[in-house]
Amino acid sequence: MHPIIGIPCYTNVRTDTGRPFYGNNQTYVHAVLRAGGAPLLIPPAPPSTLEAIAAQLDGLLLSGGGDVNPSHYGEQAVEACGVPESDRDETELWLTRWALDRRLPILGICRGLQVLNVVLGGSLYQDVPTQYDRSPLRHDFAGEVRDYIAHEIEINPDSKLADIMGVTRDGVNSFHHQALKEIGEGLRVVATAEDGMVEGAEMPGQPFVVAVQYHPEALPESVTSQRLFAAFVAACQ
């Protein structure tokens, strides 16, 4: 059996026709397929519809993307914060709460880590370059190839993430200008960059809730990244 992995979508517009569509990057789908899962793309929808869709899921993959509306963690948007995607925010926040309540496996990637933190009552640095002044590292490599290794992370050896990946230090890509600030209740930070920025977190009280700030789906040649997807899909069986 191939466990069904839900991947929420976002709204985009076709450049040739100007028509809107729902979708997500193919790299998430390919990573789930390689690990033996059956990806199911989920469009933004009201809770009654999401309830019917979510009932079919064995796991939830929260992907990367735009900025979460700061109103969800009690802040006003700063100038550098991206334009909110209200439908996507509401859909992902609902699905995350639903999955946590039912102890469904969750893998969060980039924005997905941030969504998880917000659901648990945490907050975000809305713009790392202007709000995280102790960072000597560049974290947003937008424009570089997706498998560009930007920096290394340190992984707590006493963590599920370290057990999965089989290492306590790894090179990662990096495409984010936001990051975790106040940590949500029940979320344990288990990986950081050399400047202290959160790069990985997990929930010890759940069977499988693991989230990272980098993009393992874009690193198909990375053994550690493939181990992460394999462990997630196995937990969804």
Side-chain angles (χ1 to χ4, degrees), residues 102-181:
R102 288 155 182 78
R103 299 173 64 80
L104 202 73
I106 298 174
L107 175 61
I109 294 173
C110 197
R111 170 190 160 97
L113 168 61
Q114 297 163 11
V115 168
L116 177 64
N117 191 53
V118 169
V119 164
L120 296 171
S123 64
L124 307 176
Y125 292 105
Q126 294 188 42
D127 183 55
V128 168
T130 58
Q131 295 184 329
Y132 195 82
D133 57 8
R134 61 183 179 274
S135 177
L137 293 179
R138 177 183 169 192
H139 287 274
D140 188 357
F141 283 80
E144 296 284 353
V145 293
R146 299 293 286 180
D147 60 355
Y148 174 76
I149 302 301
H151 59 77
E152 292 191 328
I153 61 172
E154 293 281 353
I155 306 169
N156 188 324
D158 181 27
S159 68
K160 182 185 289 287
L161 185 61
D163 287 344
I164 291 168
M165 296 174 67
V167 297
T168 57
R169 190 173 184 89
D170 201 16
V172 301
N173 50 11
S174 192
F175 302 98
H176 64 102
H177 86 110
Q178 296 198 325
L180 270 58
K181 185 167 61 174

Side-chain angles (χ1 to χ4, degrees), residues 14 19 32 44 66 76 133 169 176 195 202 221-222 224 235:
R14 288 184 53 150
R19 294 165 59 189
V32 169
Q76 295 289 323
D133 57 8
R169 190 173 184 89
H176 64 102
D195 59 2
E202 60 193 40
E221 303 303 318
S222 165
T224 53

Side-chain angles (χ1 to χ4, degrees), residues 185-227:
E185 183 177 357
L187 194 63
R188 179 192 179 205
V189 174
V190 295
T192 56
E194 67 179 51
D195 59 2
M197 187 167 293
V198 177
E199 291 282 346
E202 60 193 40
M203 292 189 72
Q206 290 273 351
F208 190 105
V209 176
V210 177
V212 294
Q213 186 58 69
Y214 64 99
H215 284 267
E217 83 288 352
L219 299 171
E221 303 303 318
S222 165
V223 172
T224 53
S225 291
Q226 299 318 303
R227 286 174 179 165

Side-chain angles (χ1 to χ4, degrees), residues 7-24:
I7 306 175
C9 295
Y10 56 86
T11 303
N12 209 330
V13 177
R14 288 184 53 150
T15 57
D16 56 345
T17 65
R19 294 165 59 189
F21 67 91
Y22 294 126
N24 211 320

Side-chain angles (χ1 to χ4, degrees), residues 48-65:
S48 59
T49 303
L50 292 175
E51 185 94 43
I53 296 171
Q56 313 304 315
L57 301 181
D58 299 304
L60 178 64
L61 193 162
L62 297 169
S63 72

